[in-house]
Amino acid sequence: GSGNFRGHPEGLAYAAKRSTLWLGSDWSAEEIAQLRKFNPNSIVLTSINACETNREDLPDDYYLTNISRPASTKGRLQSWPGAWRLDLTNPAVQRMQAQLMYELVAFGGPEGNPVTTNGTAPLTYDGLFVDNVFMDDGAGANSEDIFHNSFTPIDRATGKAMVGFSERWRSGMVAELEMFREMMPHALLDGHAMDLQDGNITANFNAISIGFTTPEIVEGRQSFAEGFQSYEDWMTLPAVRALHFPLSHSFSYTNLKSPCAEQR
């Protein structure tokens, strides 16, 4: 991450000498240009969480909501301190997330907060690191909050427990990814917590993050063989989205427009 290198006496030259692949960075377009001056092979991605937000001012139906609606949380699922699970079964949420993904790559900015959506898009990043791409475990990942309180998603249309939640959640995640891919087919996507056997993952992602595997091995909670298997499983899949040249290396767009912009 870029935060680990900010303020170093040697500046961006130091950062460029020590990393070629940046995941979840918030370098500006000007800083990225400097990184590539010192290291022409730099690939720079920003990040977004596929299904969480730290915003509390979205419409109420944008949040996954517990049927019991406890007043302490407004019924929302707190998935991480200060983070709330989005309701990906809501098409408006799917469009919002896809639009955010587009704007982050085009304009830059820290996770989930693009710097601007006005004027010419500088096409800041080569792509995105997408955290928590929960595809087939909608019910499992959303069955309790961080305090282990039981959670049952409500269906806004009926006021009752959502029927077929796992399937509806998965469809929402797929829709989010495919809308972004329609807008930016050449962006590099690296993802976390993904089901490697899901064709929607291999069709949309260029890489998988196994970054948490290393500390698990170091701490003795996972063997090296088990950790290496995660790498092998990805590298031996028969069909993974082909790697394109990084966007900002290969193209010079003067004005990117998103088909989701009018729907937002």
Side-chain angles (χ1 to χ4, degrees):
S2 48
N4 295 323
F5 291 88
R6 291 199 181 281
H8 193 276
E10 294 182 38
L12 293 174
Y14 177 86
K17 283 189 291 186
R18 282 157 178 78
S19 182
T20 297
L21 174 63
W22 297 89
L23 305 176
S25 65
D26 62 354
W27 299 118
S28 68
E30 293 75 18
E31 288 171 323
I32 292 171
Q34 285 295 307
L35 283 173
R36 293 196 173 119
K37 177 182 177 182
F38 296 115
N39 182 352
N41 296 315
S42 296
I43 296 177
V44 191
L45 280 65
T46 184
S47 68
I48 192 171
N49 194 300
C51 59
E52 296 174 5
T53 183
N54 58 9
R55 292 182 59 182
E56 297 194 46
D57 59 344
L58 297 171
D60 185 59
D61 64 351
Y62 279 38
Y63 301 95
L64 201 64
T65 302
N66 202 336
I67 194 169
S68 63
R69 290 178 176 268
S72 60
T73 60
K74 298 182 180 179
R76 300 171 184 174
L77 193 159
Q78 189 172 12
S79 49
W80 192 259
W84 309 91
R85 191 63 48 79
L86 293 164
D87 186 357
L88 294 191
T89 70
N90 183 342
V93 173
Q94 301 160 16
R95 292 192 295 268
M96 178 189 73
Q97 287 295 94
Q99 180 73 19
L100 276 174
M101 293 168 77
Y102 164 86
E103 291 173 359
L104 282 166
V105 175
F107 295 98
E111 181 174 308
N113 296 283
V115 293
T116 180
T117 57
N118 299 316
T120 300
L123 201 59
T124 305
Y125 291 101
D126 297 312
L128 276 167
F129 167 73
V130 188
D131 198 10
N132 290 355
V133 188
F134 300 137
M135 186 70 75
D136 289 330
D137 60 352
N142 299 306
S143 61
E144 61 179 24
D145 63 17
I146 56 173
F147 305 108
H148 304 295
N149 296 313
S150 179
F151 198 96
T152 301
I154 192 173
D155 187 328
R156 302 282 180 162
T158 65
K160 300 178 180 179
M162 195 179 299
V163 177
F165 171 64
S166 290
E167 293 75 16
R168 292 170 66 177
W169 172 272
R170 180 179 179 279
S171 295
M173 185 72 77
V174 172
E176 174 186 324
L177 296 171
E178 291 184 343
M179 276 189 277
F180 172 73
R181 272 302 183 197
E182 182 179 351
M183 291 184 272
M184 284 191 162
H186 298 287
L188 302 182
L189 281 189
D190 178 24
H192 165 243
M194 305 189 300
D195 178 4
L196 301 191
Q197 305 307 314
D198 192 303
N200 295 286
I201 294 299
T202 53
N204 285 292
F205 284 85
N206 305 102
I208 185 171
S209 171
I210 56 173
F212 287 128
T213 301
T214 306
E216 289 291 307
I217 294 172
V218 170
E219 296 295 333
R221 292 189 292 265
Q222 188 176 141
S223 70
F224 178 82
E226 290 171 323
F228 188 70
Q229 191 62 50
S230 300
Y231 172 84
E232 284 276 282
D233 289 345
W234 177 264
M235 296 302 290
T236 56
L237 283 172
V240 175
R241 185 178 181 86
L243 186 67
H244 293 79
F245 288 107
L247 270 175
S248 51
H249 290 193
S250 310
F251 299 93
S252 180
Y253 292 143
T254 57
N255 189 19
L256 289 173
K257 292 184 178 180
S258 160
C260 290
E262 295 302 318
Q263 302 176 47
R264 191 178 177 188

